[in-house]
Amino acid sequence: MTTLLERFQAAQTRMSRNQRAIADYILQRPEDCAFLTARELGQRVGVSESTVVRFAAAVGFPGYPDMQRALQDSL
């Protein structure tokens, strides 16, 4: 079983450039990102809120809140 952060790393090969930037940001600052809204995370990375939501779907979550909860639970 892989951890949530390993899941992000594994998915990077099939992501867009912006989605890889989100994954990199989360991998470098998981504690901070666990409590950011999709809009706040997008602003910090320099992408749109909808790109953050699509990122959550790309790594297998129904939506951003589900990914956020999983990230919080993993800390």
Side-chain angles (χ1 to χ4, degrees), residues 36-75:
L36 296 175
T37 65
R39 173 176 277 186
E40 291 168 336
L41 180 55
Q43 288 174 338
R44 290 189 185 195
V45 178
V47 300
S48 69
E49 181 178 354
S50 60
T51 299
V52 175
V53 173
R54 284 192 299 273
F55 169 82
V59 293
F61 291 97
Y64 180 78
D66 301 292
M67 184 186 81
Q68 185 181 37
R69 274 191 296 280
L71 194 53
Q72 289 169 356
D73 291 344
S74 73
L75 298 177

Side-chain angles (χ1 to χ4, degrees), residues 1-71:
M1 172 123 168
T2 61
T3 68
L4 184 60
L5 298 180
E6 289 170 337
R7 186 171 162 183
F8 292 163
Q9 287 175 317
Q12 283 184 309
T13 58
R14 64 180 191 277
M15 291 181 183
S16 70
R17 179 180 51 83
N18 286 341
Q19 288 174 331
R20 282 192 306 273
I22 296 166
D24 288 340
Y25 191 87
I26 293 172
L27 289 167
Q28 292 173 13
R29 301 164 189 86
E31 296 85 11
D32 295 339
C33 295
F35 299 97
L36 296 175
T37 65
R39 173 176 277 186
E40 291 168 336
L41 180 55
Q43 288 174 338
R44 290 189 185 195
V45 178
V47 300
S48 69
E49 181 178 354
S50 60
T51 299
V52 175
V53 173
R54 284 192 299 273
F55 169 82
V59 293
F61 291 97
Y64 180 78
D66 301 292
M67 184 186 81
Q68 185 181 37
R69 274 191 296 280
L71 194 53

